[in-house]
Amino acid sequence: MLRSFGSTQLLRRSLFATSKRQLSYPAHLVVNMPSLSPTMESGSIAKWNLKEGDRFEPGTSLCDVETDKATVSFDATEEGYIAKILIASGDIKVGQPLLVTVEEAADVAAFANFALTGAAPVAAAPAPVAAAPVAAPVAAPVAAAPSSSSAALPAGVSPLGRVFASPLAKKLVREAGDDLQRVAAVAGQGSGPNGRLVAADVREALKVPRTAAATAAPAAAPATTAAPAAAVAKPAAVAAANIAGVFEDFVVTEAHQQLASRLAAAKQAVPHYYLTVELNLAALLALRQTLNANLAAAAPKAKDPAAASPFKEVAVLDLLVKAAAHAMRSVPDVNAAWMDSFVRQYHQVDINVVMSAAPAASAVTPVVRDVNNKGLGSITELLASYEDRLAKNEALTAAETADGTFTIHNVGAFGVRSAAPIVLPPQAAALALGAVYESVIPKAAEGDAAAWEVAPMMQATMAVDHRVVDGAVSAQWLAAFKNVVENPVNLLM
């Protein structure tokens, strides 16, 4: 008997679980798409790392999936062989069948033509615009003429302008950097069911230059709709000219859409308020310089002077992450979450640090678990590892991008002095760290000849969910954070 494999449904030899046709197959497991992040409802198959017939073991990466946060790896939890890949690429809902696995390599060949029977599709495309009935009188062309723009749409396009296309067709359009509406106008009626665009239609349409879209779209329309096609020709030409000279459209991935929906919902539902404090980083920067000097002296000397440094330097961000966790000890009410009917306070500080996955890519929020019980060296190594992997476009696992209890935005890395972050539920707060700048401040010590000095400063802006934390409590947390940053020796306590 095959054991649990992520989110799966076991096809037992029962008429209640399978059809008679499936009963003829060897023992197998249909693996459903699991939820790879707490907020994931659907994803998109970026690529398969194994093919049908390949063997896998626990921890083997089966495929890469674009979620609402990042591209993450779907790893096996059992050993076996891939007998059939049900979704090769494109969008997939959580719980939708993804692949079939078997325990023996000899059983793979039996699934060459495997197909799930009696399974309802997860999301059926809406019916296309109904064409005029065949039995309608031919002698009434005026009555058959469209009274609105929706009647002139080709099959496969809804009255609201949505194009029905297969996941692979959408992927080809995205990879080509083209617009799905333009491709649909060029291709005309798709060759799939109910006029749905398929990969072959897209490949043919992409051969047509963008400037030729105005003439290609009317030519692809059926002869019986010549008049409506002529009416559509002018808008198509205008759109093509606009795309070429005024603006350019970019396809939004499923992961980006989910992240955008989550941010919009958070901004609308969470009662935000913001507090800003100014930090003097003189002592923190001096401590960082001392730590890195000691690390460099203790590190083994590299044979090649041009080789990369054998140790990871402690960054300012590493110290501030540690300081944020230390402030949670003084004011634990901030390390909490809104749970609708109650507030949950966490005893472990898990901090998400916002990073960029790649140039022009969406933000990724890898998590540092149990920060208070981690040494500064461990935090430095972990954050440096995240940055290196994201710079190489390597996927992070679902566990590495899971929700923590607090989030830090390092906008100062881009030269921004301050920002007001969005609190993402269930967290109660987020902190934005600005760029370091020099400012003239009063001297702390009395009796100095000069009453002023220049010091490195930073602005830290805290966004808080008012349902969870009151303003006075947030002010206490910021005061504790400021005290640790300006007296970093407290980090050793």
Side-chain angles (χ1 to χ4, degrees):
M1 180 69 70
L2 292 174
R3 298 185 295 277
S4 173
F5 187 101
S7 174
T8 65
Q9 61 181 41
L10 183 61
L11 296 182
R12 298 180 176 87
R13 294 187 175 272
S14 168
L15 292 177
F16 296 99
T18 68
S19 68
K20 292 182 178 179
R21 181 183 175 187
Q22 290 173 344
L23 288 175
S24 64
Y25 288 101
H28 59 283
L29 196 66
V30 176
V31 181
N32 293 342
M33 184 67 222
S35 177
L36 299 177
S37 71
T39 59
M40 178 179 172
E41 296 179 358
S42 62
S44 180
I45 304 299
K47 69 172 182 176
W48 280 92
N49 299 318
L50 299 180
K51 61 182 183 297
E52 293 177 359
D54 285 353
R55 184 178 183 276
F56 56 82
E57 297 177 348
T60 302
S61 175
L62 302 178
C63 62
D64 292 340
V65 182
E66 292 182 359
T67 69
D68 57 341
K69 289 188 174 183
T71 299
V72 298
S73 174
F74 175 28
D75 298 338
T77 58
E78 301 285 346
E79 62 180 25
Y81 296 84
I82 295 181
K84 186 70 175 180
I85 295 176
L86 301 177
I87 303 294
S89 62
D91 299 338
I92 181 172
K93 300 276 187 184
V94 171
Q96 182 177 348
L98 177 62
L99 73 154
V100 179
T101 66
V102 294
E103 289 185 332
E104 303 296 336
D107 295 337
V108 172
F111 293 85
N113 299 317
F114 177 86
L116 288 176
T117 58
V122 174
V129 179
V134 178
V138 180
V142 177
S147 58
S148 64
S149 59
S150 62
L153 294 171
V157 180
S158 73
L160 297 179
R162 177 186 172 189
V163 178
F164 302 129
S166 68
L168 180 56
K170 293 179 181 179
K171 180 182 178 183
L172 292 176
V173 173
R174 287 198 301 266
E175 291 177 347
D178 213 322
D179 179 65
L180 189 58
Q181 294 283 352
R182 187 201 77 86
V183 172
V186 174
Q189 182 172 352
S191 58
N194 297 323
R196 183 186 180 100
L197 287 180
V198 296
D201 303 325
V202 172
R203 291 190 181 98
E204 289 299 321
L206 291 177
K207 296 178 182 179
V208 179
R210 296 191 181 190
T211 54
T215 57
T224 56
T225 59
V232 177
K234 184 176 180 180
V238 173
N242 287 339
I243 291 175
V246 180
F247 64 86
E248 185 176 358
D249 295 331
F250 295 90
V251 178
V252 179
T253 65
E254 184 74 17
H256 290 186
Q257 292 179 26
Q258 292 185 18
L259 178 59
S261 299
R262 190 182 179 200
L263 290 171
K267 190 62 176 176
Q268 294 169 5
V270 176
H272 288 68
Y273 69 90
Y274 303 92
L275 300 174
T276 301
V277 68
E278 213 170 22
L279 309 172
N280 186 338
L281 300 186
L284 189 80
L285 295 179
L287 174 63
R288 173 179 179 263
Q289 184 177 8
T290 301
L291 291 174
N292 287 332
N294 292 339
L295 289 173
K301 302 299 181 182
K303 296 181 180 179
D304 184 4
S309 175
F311 70 95
K312 297 291 184 182
E313 287 192 351
V314 176
V316 174
L317 177 62
D318 307 336
L319 291 164
L320 294 175
V321 168
K322 184 69 175 176
H326 196 281
M328 294 294 184
R329 293 181 180 176
S330 302
V331 189
D333 290 346
V334 176
N335 196 41
W338 176 256
M339 308 302 290
D340 290 333
S341 60
F342 60 92
V343 172
R344 174 175 295 165
Q345 187 176 116
Y346 298 100
H347 301 304
Q348 176 175 301
V349 181
D350 301 329
I351 297 181
N352 292 109
V353 181
V354 180
M355 298 181 178
S356 178
S362 63
V364 182
T365 55
V367 65
V368 182
R369 297 286 185 192
D370 200 9
V371 181
N372 270 330
N373 290 324
K374 270 189 170 61
L376 187 59
S378 299
I379 296 173
T380 298
E381 289 286 343
L382 183 58
L383 290 179
S385 171
Y386 285 149
E387 291 176 350
D388 292 343
R389 290 165 59 189
L390 291 174
K392 299 174 183 177
N393 289 325
E394 294 183 9
L396 301 183
T397 65
E400 291 172 330
T401 57
D403 288 336
T405 62
F406 188 72
T407 297
I408 290 180
H409 301 252
N410 183 25
V411 296
F414 304 96
V416 178
R417 183 166 291 194
S418 65
I422 297 176
V423 178
L424 285 179
Q427 295 179 4
L431 186 69
L433 302 173
V436 180
Y437 60 93
E438 290 187 341
S439 180
V440 177
I441 62 172
K443 273 193 174 182
E446 298 180 0
D448 290 339
W452 305 88
E453 64 179 350
V454 177
M457 307 294 292
M458 171 186 285
Q459 288 187 11
T461 300
M462 186 179 185
V464 190
D465 185 346
H466 213 319
R467 299 172 300 180
V468 184
V469 186
D470 291 334
V473 177
S474 299
Q476 293 172 14
W477 187 92
L478 276 178
F481 179 68
K482 177 180 175 70
N483 180 58
V484 175
V485 171
E486 297 184 349
N487 302 279
V489 68
N490 291 330
L491 292 175
L492 304 178
M493 299 175 62

